[in-house]
Amino acid sequence: MATVTESAAASAKPQPAQAASNAQAGEQIDGFQLVIEALKLNGIDTVFGLPGIPITDLTRKAQAAGLRVISFRHEQSAGYAASIAGFMTQKPGVCLTVSAPGFLNGLTALANATTNCFPMILVSGSSEREVVDLQQGDYEEMDQLAIAKPLAKAAFRVLHAEDIGVGVARAIRAAVSGRPGGVYLDLPAKLFPQSIDAELGRKSLIKVVDPAPRQIPAQDAVKRALDLLRGAKKPLILLGKGAAYAQADAQIRALVEKTGIPYLPMSMAKGILPDTHPQCASAARSFVLPEADVVLLVGARLNWLLSHGKGKTWGGKGSKDWGGQKFVQVDISPTEADSNVRIDAPVVGDIGSCVAALLEGSDGIKAPAEWVAAVNDKKGRNVAKMAEKLGENPAPMSFHSALNVVRDVVKANPDAYLVNEGANALDFTRSIVDMYKPRKRLDVGTWGVMGIGMGFAVAAAVVGKQQVLAIEGDSAFGFSGMEVETICRYDLPVCVVIMNNNGVYRGDEKNPAGGADPSPLVFVKDARYEKLMEAFGGVGRHVTTPQELRAAIDEAFRTKRPTLINAVIAEGAGTESGRITALNPTAAKK
Ligand code: ADP
Ligand code: TPW
Ligand code: MG
């Protein structure tokens, strides 16, 4: 229970005369209730958080008011859960924390949401403004608004109960309109017990109308893009997670299929069209990127994940040289174009509207047969090579032999969510496990951040209401491992598979000085992670063969019980940093 007992009158803004007289006469409403009603009014039905001063009662009252309150063991996981709920639903995910340390624990997730264009609102209680601003040493003193600002798309503070409606409305609009992002909402402790006339209070709440308005692209911009595509000999479509977020699946599929253009999905765009689609060029990625002459980017940025649109990946001679491609970029942010290389045809608007406009004008645009054949030829050869690797059955398991099982499971259960983090555990899963439905693959995103695993898994189960399969590196799992208690407490259908190679990237590193301390990259050998799940009443399994792994996952999917499968992988099976070894300064020199 919050210790804030101060009367509202001491801190509330002087109220209009009418409000004061009503207040004497009628029912009162306090800040707690106004926050809850403002959220409910805007369709927020779930809150992820961790209680304590000054928001303990907010979590209680929210639950009492019918909101689903999912309480975590660490705010970072609650924050990641909120952010991915935002990605899945286009509604801002709400994370609720206490002041200073709780706020800071949630802040990483807020920054990550902004970086990934996920709509999220971090609501943190804060200490007494007057004391904080004079730096007099309040309980959990911190100028949270100032700290959140550079990491959030927007940041607001509400001081008076009658402004709660506006504060929540502004936070929602900022989170979901235009390019989505993380928003910080600062609610000082004194706000919650402030009471005002109930009728006036309720009237001050805002139900946000059209929070993410459609943004129709300019006709000349669409024509410019279509002209480029029409002239292309080797066109390519690149789908990013913005395209997944936009939920324009049918239009995107129609454009891809009508034009016959090969496409590449970025990691979280996998499944917008099934990865098994004949036009999917994932298996020929290193062929199509340098070869393509016109590239249509849909909700994907030319950041590091796409080698900044230049260098050898794109057919440039040196690491900084541009290839010869022309780019069309569909994005809601007008400042995204030209961030790395020239965008010849920016199409600014929401993806649904932009793709619909492109589709409408696309008559006569057809990927040349010669190009399609070349892509398919390359694909065929790479798929055969991969099939050979997947067929191997070494002991201990390799990433391939274990993930071959996961590949089959996902194929048989296309509605399940796949959460994925790690280095090798991430990169191999992305390339081996086909996705069949949009927004089912939830992973480390733009930062490659470790720690999203259990938060994402909880949100996927709670909001997506489907079975979740989390494929985790053993290091990656450790960042949020305590949340297995959360998974058990809410009895969620989450099956965690730890690709256990005893360490970060590999488990066979030695202390270079020869001392007793282990290498910084390795963990306790043969750790029994499955017992962690058993400690809270879930199911733990220790598996060493693909057959055992398959049986354990099947059982988890059948029973829907919280399950942790400790899959033993060869210690030396991974490579440093997985697929991004070249970004590692020391490794690059080797
Ligand atoms: P990926 O990592 O999959 O390549 P990014 O996160 O880099 O994807 O890019 C997503 C892009 O999608 C961002 O530039 C963002 O502005 C854009 N975006 C997000 N939502 C929409 C939308 N509804 N309409 C148009 N663009 C969007
Ligand atoms: C918040 C750096 C990238 S990948 C990784 C770390 C620590 C773990 C790799 O080991 P894991 O996977 O998960 O066992 P595998 O299969 O290769 O053995 N801190 C944060 N984010 C990142 N990305 C790191 C550190 C890192
Ligand atoms: Mg590992």
Side-chain angles (χ1 to χ4, degrees), residues 39-124:
L39 293 174
K40 281 182 79 171
L41 186 64
N42 285 288
I44 307 289
D45 51 16
T46 307
V47 168
F48 305 92
L50 202 159
I53 296 171
I55 54 104
T56 313
D57 245 14
L58 189 59
T59 61
R60 282 200 191 98
K61 288 169 192 262
Q63 192 171 48
L67 283 168
R68 185 116 200 247
V69 182
I70 305 293
S71 197
F72 283 78
R73 304 303 294 259
H74 191 293
E75 292 88 349
Q76 192 176 100
S77 294
Y80 287 139
S83 71
I84 207 67
F87 169 77
M88 291 163 62
T89 63
Q90 297 183 327
K91 276 196 293 190
V94 174
C95 173
L96 191 56
T97 79
V98 303
S99 23
F103 156 79
L104 286 173
N105 282 347
L107 198 57
T108 307
L110 187 75
N112 187 63
T114 306
T115 300
N116 282 278
C117 316
F118 298 159
M120 164 183 175
I121 304 175
L122 176 67
V123 180
S124 294

Side-chain angles (χ1 to χ4, degrees), residues 399 422-425 472-476 498-507 521 523:
F399 284 98
N424 294 280
E472 300 274 313
D474 51 334
S475 165
I498 296 183
M499 298 279 159
N500 189 0
N501 61 354
N502 292 344
V504 176
Y505 314 136
R506 307 165 62 95
L521 290 137
F523 300 135

Side-chain angles (χ1 to χ4, degrees), residues 43 146 228 233 264 275 294 326 336 347 448 484 521 571:
L228 262 184
K233 302 250 177 320
L264 272 183
D275 284 336
V294 177
K326 296 217 180 288
E336 183 54 38
V347 182
V484 296
L521 290 137
E571 275 194 334

